[in-house]
């Protein structure tokens, strides 16, 4: 007999920590994604090691707090990311010093942060679609099986979410980081999808431990458990 699905309230310090971590990781990965990276035959971007962490945190939020809380976290994260992008535009537009050092700093800022608005647009569309898909599938699977087979929920939802995310993001980001031909684009998409999904699969044991730890420490999750068994 399956144990009914239950969720904690978002009115706890844990949810706020996860939300803040998701926002910081996404903002940093958007900056890193403006740089193309080539590791031998592998083509990727500078945010490749950060972005999977946002999905892992999304899995934790979806599993512990539910789809509505995950949706709130996604929308809030992107609102903060857009605010960061607006700040980059303002910093670049502000008049700087006219000397050689000031000109060099301005060129460096434009080179590092100038492409970020396009990256944010791609990231907004991709992360929103991918994370919503990931969360929706995870919650639907949990509704069917309850608290059992957590690993299957994490892996199944990750495959769908990461594929949608990677395809949309790469389509927008490729021209920004200098990927122009079809072969390189396919390489970029496949490497991104396999890498991100692989990282999530690799971290499934760790993600599962974190989820179980949060469930034990989250007082409202225990209350939810009492409610479904009442």
């Amino acid at each position: 007999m399956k144990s009914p699905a239950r969720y904690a309230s978002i009115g706890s310090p844990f949810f706020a920590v996860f939300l803040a971590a998701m926002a910081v990781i996404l903002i940093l990965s958007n900056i890193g994604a403006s740089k193309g990276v080539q590791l031998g035959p592998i083509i990727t971007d500078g945010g490749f090691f950060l972005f999977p962490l946002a999905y892992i945190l999304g899995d934790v939020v979806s599993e512990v707090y539910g789809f509505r809380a995950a949706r709130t976290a996604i929308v809030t994260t992107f609102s903060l990311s857009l605010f960061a992008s607006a700040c980059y535009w303002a910093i670049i537009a502000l008049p700087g010093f006219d000397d050689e050092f000031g000109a060099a700093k301005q060129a460096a800022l434009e080179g590092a942060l100038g492409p970020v608005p396009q990256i944010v647009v791609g990231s907004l569309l991709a992360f929103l679609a991918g994370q919503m898909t990931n969360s929706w599938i995870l919650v639907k699977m949990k509704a069917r099986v309850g608290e059992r087979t957590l690993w299957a929920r994490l892996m199944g939802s990750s495959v769908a979410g990461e594929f949608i995310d990677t395809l949309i993001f790469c389509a927008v980001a490729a021209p920004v980081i200098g990927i122009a031909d079809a072969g390189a684009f396919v390489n970029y998409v496949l490497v991104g999808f396999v890498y991100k999904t692989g990282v999530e699969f690799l971290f499934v044991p760790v993600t599962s431990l974190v989820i179980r730890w949060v469930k034990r420490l989250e007082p409202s999750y225990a209350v939810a458990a009492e409610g479904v068994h009442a």
Side-chain angles (χ1 to χ4, degrees):
M1 181 179 176
K2 74 174 185 180
S3 55
R6 56 185 185 269
Y7 299 101
S9 168
I10 64 173
S12 75
F14 295 104
F15 179 77
V17 170
F18 290 130
L19 175 58
M22 286 178 66
V24 170
I25 288 171
L26 182 61
I27 290 171
L28 291 178
S29 65
N30 284 339
I31 296 173
S34 65
K35 176 180 178 178
V37 173
Q38 184 164 2
L39 303 170
I42 298 175
I43 297 175
T44 183
D45 57 66
F48 76 96
F49 63 96
L50 282 169
F51 202 75
L53 298 178
Y55 264 83
I56 292 172
L57 289 172
D59 285 339
V60 175
V61 171
S62 298
E63 172 67 22
V64 177
Y65 300 98
F67 180 73
R68 185 174 297 179
R71 183 176 59 194
T72 298
I74 294 166
V75 172
T76 303
T77 294
F78 269 103
S79 298
L80 294 173
S81 183
L82 288 173
F83 173 71
S85 183
C87 290
Y88 304 150
W89 294 335
I91 292 169
I92 291 172
L94 287 171
F97 297 138
D98 294 329
D99 58 11
E100 183 177 346
F101 179 76
K105 293 290 288 184
Q106 179 69 16
L109 283 170
E110 291 176 358
L113 300 180
V116 167
Q118 294 95 309
I119 295 295
V120 168
V121 169
S123 183
L124 174 61
L125 296 174
F127 191 75
L128 189 63
Q131 276 279 20
M132 288 293 187
T133 301
N134 180 80
S135 178
W136 185 82
I137 291 176
L138 189 151
V139 170
K140 286 295 183 182
M141 292 178 69
K142 185 175 182 179
R144 292 175 63 90
V145 301
E147 296 292 316
R148 298 185 293 109
T149 60
L150 173 59
W151 62 271
R153 294 197 293 281
L154 295 176
M155 297 177 74
S157 61
S158 295
V159 170
E162 288 290 10
F163 179 75
I164 291 174
D165 182 290
T166 305
L167 182 62
I168 295 174
F169 177 75
C170 290
V172 177
V176 178
I177 66 175
I179 296 176
D181 62 272
F185 176 75
V186 171
N187 185 311
Y188 186 33
V189 172
L190 290 179
V191 168
F193 170 67
V194 171
Y195 168 75
K196 293 173 185 177
T197 306
V199 169
E200 287 210 55
F201 283 7
L202 184 65
F203 275 85
V204 161
V206 177
T207 306
S208 300
L209 287 174
V210 171
I211 287 173
R212 294 189 178 99
W213 177 70
V214 174
K215 285 179 178 179
R216 287 196 301 268
L217 294 182
E218 179 62 76
S220 58
Y221 204 87
V223 172
E226 293 173 2
V228 298
H229 291 297

